[in-house]
Amino acid sequence: MSTNNTPFLTMFLLLLGLLRFDSFTGLEAATGKLASVPGLYVFGDSLVDAGNNNYLAISISKANYPHNGVDFPNKKATGRFCNGKNAADAIAEKFGLPLPPPYLSLKGPFKEEKKKSVAVTGVNFASGGAGIFNSSDHKLGQAIPLSHQVNHWLSIHQELTSQLGPAEAQNHLSKSLFAVVIGSNDLFDYFGSFKLRQETNPQQYTQSMADELKKQLKRIHDTGARRFLIIGVAEIGCIPGKRAKNSTLHECDEEANTWCSLYNEALVKMLQQLKQELQSSMTYSYFDNFKSLHDIISNPARYGT
């Protein structure tokens, strides 16, 4: 999915909310005391990509050019799809952690020492254009889908276990935070594919998204992860690209927003079921991005916009 459809308003929302942790209902339950979070591991799409796509040789889904990065230290584009730091960076700073580097920046010669260091404090696996499913973007080398991001995590997990030993690694991971911000690009794929819409209805498709995400969360949990922050999909029918195509009034695409709601409902139910299946060994905080973005659009003055 082209990153031209990236919901930049969602990025603004995440950063705005992360400046105030009390805006995340239940976050404290997932993380405990802020100082007790020793590592941050990030999975997702362009909302939290820290530059992984820069290392994809033929990908055009990159943000390593102006005006991206104009507010980042040194005013340099880093591969983040925004003007400065992204939501994952804001989370790391709130916990007093270094910014998690993109996983692909740790591969290659002379990178072993850096890889050892950041394996403990956190790594970013996110990729602009990525989805829960292995879409055509993956086949064409444009993005790293979630299943492959989890594969990359397994490599870091191996490094972490080698450094700390199994018992200490398990203790470390049980206190660390695993953030997952993904789903929008799967919905964009559905909007844009006549074939997909012929094969499955919106409710079936969004349920299959939640089911596949559940598989990947279980893979992460199986390595020792216990604390998760899951961000729901926002009103992507209200992004500029959708509004520009929706009549001369440029109103939100309500059909697209309805599909987002269907997915978020399936996501919430899946998380509740997963926690029950894992016998409460998993704690999570779900952030209702849809509701929050709707509030910003409906009450812009409240947010200084």
Side-chain angles (χ1 to χ4, degrees):
M1 174 53 55
S2 169
T3 49
N4 289 335
N5 282 324
T6 301
F8 289 104
L9 284 175
T10 307
M11 180 75 74
F12 168 75
L13 164 66
L14 288 175
L15 289 169
L16 186 66
L18 286 162
L19 292 175
R20 294 170 45 250
F21 266 80
D22 58 0
S23 67
F24 282 82
T25 303
L27 181 61
E28 290 294 339
T31 62
K33 294 181 180 179
L34 301 187
S36 71
V37 177
L40 172 65
Y41 304 92
V42 183
F43 305 81
D45 54 29
S46 59
L47 292 177
V48 286
D49 185 356
N52 277 303
N53 281 16
N54 288 354
Y55 299 88
L56 299 179
I58 62 173
S59 178
I60 60 172
S61 299
K62 297 180 180 180
N64 57 343
Y65 54 85
H67 295 287
N68 296 293
V70 294
D71 296 317
F72 199 82
N74 300 324
K75 300 187 181 298
K76 185 177 180 180
T78 60
R80 291 166 171 82
F81 291 79
C82 58
N83 57 299
K85 296 174 183 176
N86 64 26
D89 300 324
I91 295 172
E93 289 185 334
K94 279 294 181 180
F95 289 126
L97 295 169
L99 306 188
Y103 169 79
L104 293 184
S105 71
L106 307 174
K107 296 179 68 67
F110 313 114
K111 300 293 182 68
E112 286 304 312
E113 288 305 314
K114 183 179 180 182
K115 185 177 179 181
K116 288 179 181 178
S117 172
V118 301
V120 177
T121 57
V123 179
N124 190 314
F125 306 95
S127 171
I132 297 169
F133 295 129
N134 295 358
S135 68
S136 58
D137 278 349
H138 164 59
K139 296 174 184 176
L140 298 174
Q142 299 300 302
I144 308 165
L146 182 59
S147 62
H148 289 244
Q149 293 181 32
V150 177
N151 291 344
H152 292 162
W153 156 245
L154 296 180
S155 172
I156 291 297
H157 176 262
Q158 185 177 21
E159 173 64 43
L160 190 67
T161 303
S162 175
Q163 277 192 65
L164 303 181
E168 183 56 33
Q170 176 60 51
N171 181 55
H172 175 85
L173 293 175
S174 70
K175 297 176 182 177
S176 296
L177 182 64
F178 292 76
V180 183
V181 186
I182 203 163
S184 296
N185 289 309
D186 300 283
L187 292 170
F188 282 130
D189 285 342
Y190 187 75
F191 302 155
S193 173
F194 177 77
K195 181 181 178 182
L196 275 177
R197 286 183 278 114
Q198 287 290 103
E199 293 174 347
T200 181
N201 64 44
Q203 190 154 7
Q204 292 169 331
Y205 183 78
T206 53
Q207 182 60 55
S208 67
M209 286 173 60
D211 292 342
E212 179 59 28
L213 178 58
K214 181 180 180 180
K215 293 178 185 177
Q216 301 308 324
L217 291 177
K218 288 181 75 172
R219 290 179 66 200
I220 299 170
H221 176 273
D222 287 346
T223 65
R226 294 296 179 264
R227 292 173 169 176
F228 292 83
L229 172 62
I230 311 295
I231 309 295
V233 169
E235 284 188 312
I236 60 179
C238 295
I239 67 170
K242 285 289 183 183
R243 297 181 76 151
K245 296 176 182 177
N246 196 19
S247 81
T248 57
L249 297 177
H250 303 311
E251 297 171 338
C252 295
D253 183 336
E254 293 304 332
E255 182 180 22
N257 285 342
T258 297
W259 295 347
C260 295
S261 292
L262 284 175
Y263 169 66
N264 285 335
E265 290 170 8
L267 173 60
V268 169
K269 290 179 182 177
M270 178 275 286
L271 290 171
Q272 292 169 346
Q273 291 168 356
L274 180 58
K275 183 174 181 178
Q276 187 174 27
E277 289 175 19
L278 297 175
Q279 300 179 339
S280 299
S281 64
M282 166 191 177
T283 60
Y284 71 88
S285 177
Y286 170 75
F287 179 56
D288 190 345
N289 215 5
F290 187 99
K291 181 179 179 181
S292 297
L293 184 58
H294 179 78
D295 190 49
I296 285 179
I297 293 171
S298 303
N299 304 287
R302 184 183 300 170
Y303 298 90
T305 60

